[in-house]
Amino acid sequence: MRLIITADLTPISERLTNLSKQMSDLKPVMSAVGGILESSTRLRISNQKKDASGQKWAALSESTLRAKRNKKGGVRGSLLVNRGMLMRSITHAASARSVIVGSNMAYARFHQEGTQNMPARPFLGLSKHDYEDVADLLDDWLNGLIGN
């Protein structure tokens, strides 16, 4: 006995073609990933005061605290925040295959890596939460492509 089954695979073929087209240019999804990481980096600078692994940054030195004192005796800004220029400079650039998150401020590297006289306070990097957020974004994106 011989059984022949035929099926119209047009809907699947159309989905695969659409998926293939979307996968050839990942710039939109990479830009979305950059947005997540940019936001996370700003939060790290403004509120968390920790590196991506959760390690607290070194406190400000006494000389830095003296320099940041205002006329009323308070301290201007906080760790990595003086006038907010570093935080505002955080940006990302996406391509079809990658995303870069960083700052164009000349002193950003000194904060990230430290110097002979200043401890590193790494503000760039991916936290466990960042990995989870990016994975969720990619799951949603792929599900949207497959489901269409």
Side-chain angles (χ1 to χ4, degrees):
M1 179 174 164
R2 185 174 200 184
L3 179 62
I4 298 174
I5 299 174
T6 60
D8 179 11
L9 299 179
T10 304
I12 294 172
S13 176
E14 289 171 358
R15 285 185 181 170
L16 288 174
T17 299
N18 183 35
L19 182 60
S20 176
K21 286 178 186 175
Q22 295 292 326
M23 297 297 285
S24 66
D25 181 13
L26 299 176
K27 188 172 181 178
V29 74
M30 287 293 150
S31 186
V33 168
I36 288 172
L37 300 179
E38 194 177 308
S39 176
S40 174
T41 301
R42 284 196 183 106
L43 183 63
R44 198 171 293 130
I45 293 170
S46 66
N47 297 352
Q48 297 171 346
K49 309 299 183 190
K50 298 177 183 178
D51 66 20
S53 71
Q55 182 74 34
K56 282 190 170 194
W57 293 333
L60 293 172
S61 69
E62 284 302 317
S63 61
T64 302
L65 286 171
R66 279 193 302 276
K68 291 174 73 94
R69 293 223 188 277
N70 61 29
K71 293 178 183 178
K72 296 180 182 178
V75 176
R76 180 184 67 240
S78 62
L79 276 169
L80 297 193
V81 179
N82 191 23
R83 291 182 172 83
M85 292 169 53
L86 176 64
M87 193 163 27
R88 284 191 303 272
S89 76
I90 303 300
T91 189
H92 72 276
S95 71
R97 298 281 179 232
S98 67
V99 63
I100 298 170
V101 178
S103 166
N104 64 353
M105 300 305 290
Y107 58 83
R109 180 179 185 172
F110 304 132
H111 288 303
Q112 181 73 20
E113 298 175 1
T115 68
Q116 190 173 19
N117 298 316
M118 182 179 77
R121 294 183 179 98
F123 57 94
L124 297 170
L126 278 78
S127 67
K128 181 182 176 193
H129 191 260
D130 292 337
Y131 280 107
E132 292 167 357
D133 285 349
V134 169
D136 289 345
L137 171 83
L138 294 176
D139 284 345
D140 290 347
W141 180 74
L142 284 170
N143 286 332
L145 290 179
I146 294 168
N148 289 334

